[in-house]
Structures are given as structure tokens and as C-alpha cells.
Amino acid sequence: MKRKKIIIGNWKMNKTIQETQKFFETINSFLAKNKNEDYLLGIAPSYLSLQVAKNLSKEVLIAAQNCHYEENGAFTGEVSVTMLQEIGIHYCIIGHSERRSYYQETSESCNLKIKKLFEKKMIPIYCVGETLQQYEQGMTKETIYSQLEIGLQSIPKEDVEKMIFAYEPVWSIGTGKNASKEIAEDICAFIRLMIENLYDQETAKKVLIQYGGSVKPSNIAEYLNQSNIDGALVGGASLKEESFKEMISELF
Ligand code: PGA
């Protein structure tokens, strides 16, 4: 089975509603001329821009950047999966390293969110990755194994096979220090192997695994050409229409 290639832009806390509109107008007219069934494109805008992005987007899947694991309740400032579902959102990033480091997100809370998303038939994009300190101490694989084992606890294989994973070494995010294609391929292959160990080979072959961390037009092709890397989760370089177009052109 051939896996689809996938590029998702994570806008973080960038772009107003108006800027989101402008981006989608440009990208829609670009995609109208460049079609191919073999890839998935996505954008994860801020909560406020989700609805306008969803309404304007034709070919691009729209993902939230986070969600809460409870159905509703006294959680000031939070957004539930049902609220996302109501506006037609089917994907959500979980466990981004910025959420893990600034908002005390843990693999345990990620696990609750992943369960909630599947309960509502949504697809999690689960981010894993080691910090610089863990990298320097040679603890990359240990760290990622634990993030996978805890994050996927009690998630059945029928759900896991639909998941998207993102390997994002924390030391490469927004730093311009992208991991080499060899490192990225090695860790993405490791993630696939761990899914095989936790589930089975069939499931491991189905999951999509992206690399993320300082991906840009000049280096994205290196990653897309690796056998265990199915795509890229891109922060900074997904904000400009021109550089997003350049990156997705690698898929045509
Ligand atoms: P970056 O961010 O491409 O700006 O390094 C990647 C991410 O955080 O997903």
C-alpha cells in the first residue's frame, strides 16, 4: 500500500482572520491549476480563524492546534472537540512541543485528548520529539518511545492506523537547525517500528509520519524523499503564500 504524502502548515499564534482569507484566496487559485490526488495538504490556523479557513478551503484540510479532553465544563479559555466538530473540523494537532513546554501538556493529557478526538471521529496529529538536552544525552529514542507508549495507551489499532504522527525534535523548531535527513529518517523509521511493536506491521505501514522543525522550500524535498517520512509539519515557512506554494509544488 502506498502512503499519501502530507504537508501541514502550523500557523501557531499567527495570522488574523483577514490574513487567513487572503492566504486561502491565493492558495485556492494556485491549487485550481495544480491538482493531484496523491497528497494531503493542511493548515492549522488559530481557533478564531478556523471557521473562515474551513469555509474558504477547497483542497486543504483544516486542523485545530489543540483541544480539551473534557466534553464541556468550567475550563476557562479552552475549546472542546464537539465545538470543533460543529464547524466541520476533522483534524487536531496534539502534544506540540510548545504546548508541552509552555502549558504543561504531558503524554498522559495527550492520551486523553486523542481518545476524545477518536470518540468524535476526528484524526489526531500527534507530535513527539526530544529536547536538546535529551538529544545531547542520547535519549532521543527512549523519550519518543515513552511519548508513544503513554500517548497511545488503550487506543485500538483501528483508530491508530488513521493517525498522523509528527517527529519534531524540539531543538530544530523555529531555530533554523533542521535535523539532517538521515536523523529524521532514522527516527521516523523508529516511530514506525515502535507502532509495529505496540500494534502490528499492518498498522505501522498505514500511519503517516511527518518530520517537523525548520522545514522550508530549500530542504523539504530531502525529507519527502525518505522512505519512512510521509511529509512535513511546517511552522514559519507555511506563513507566506509564496513559500507554502513552493513547498507544496514538490508534491506535484
Ligand atoms: P518551524 O516549526 O517550521 O517554524 O520550525 C515547526 C513546528 O513547530 O511545527
Side-chain angles (χ1 to χ4, degrees), residues 60-238:
V60 179
L61 67 87
I62 305 300
Q65 297 174 13
N66 181 35
C67 64
H68 201 278
Y69 51 81
E70 290 289 353
E71 186 60 40
N72 50 36
F75 301 103
T76 301
E78 292 290 320
V79 166
S80 76
V81 175
T82 303
M83 293 168 188
L84 296 172
Q85 202 184 29
E86 188 187 31
I87 57 165
I89 303 300
H90 300 294
Y91 295 83
C92 184
I93 297 176
I94 296 294
H96 189 279
S97 68
E98 286 149 19
R99 299 238 28 114
R100 289 182 193 257
S101 62
Y102 304 145
Y103 305 101
Q104 291 77 47
E105 188 121 338
T106 61
S107 295
E108 284 80 3
S109 62
C110 290
N111 177 247
L112 296 175
K113 293 178 180 196
I114 292 171
K115 281 184 186 152
K116 192 69 186 176
L117 285 166
F118 278 125
E119 192 188 309
K120 304 285 176 183
K121 311 260 178 287
M122 286 176 50
I123 310 284
I125 302 160
Y126 183 41
C127 300
V128 296
E130 79 286 8
T131 61
L132 180 61
Q133 197 189 16
Q134 288 163 331
Y135 174 72
E136 286 173 346
Q137 291 172 347
M139 286 173 59
T140 300
K141 291 187 175 171
E142 207 177 317
T143 304
I144 288 171
Y145 182 68
S146 149
Q147 291 169 335
L148 289 173
E149 194 185 26
I150 299 169
L152 298 178
Q153 201 130 51
S154 322
I155 313 282
K157 118 191 180 97
E158 298 71 41
D159 285 338
V160 171
E161 66 181 34
K162 299 185 199 114
M163 275 177 79
I164 301 168
F165 293 85
Y167 167 51
E168 298 209 310
V170 179
W171 47 270
S172 76
I173 297 177
T175 57
K177 291 189 197 133
N178 52 303
S180 68
K181 60 180 190 302
E182 290 80 12
I183 293 181
E185 167 63 12
D186 180 45
I187 303 302
C188 290
F190 173 76
I191 293 172
R192 208 174 290 288
L193 183 65
M194 290 307 102
I195 305 231
E196 182 176 330
N197 288 354
L198 292 167
Y199 295 89
D200 53 30
Q201 200 182 42
E202 195 196 348
T203 311
K205 278 190 179 157
K206 284 186 185 163
V207 297
L208 296 180
I209 307 177
Q210 305 179 287
Y211 164 75
S214 299
V215 174
K216 48 187 187 244
S218 60
N219 64 21
I220 193 166
E222 292 176 17
Y223 299 110
L224 294 175
N225 288 334
Q226 304 303 309
S227 57
N228 281 289
I229 305 180
D230 302 310
L233 183 56
V234 188
S238 71

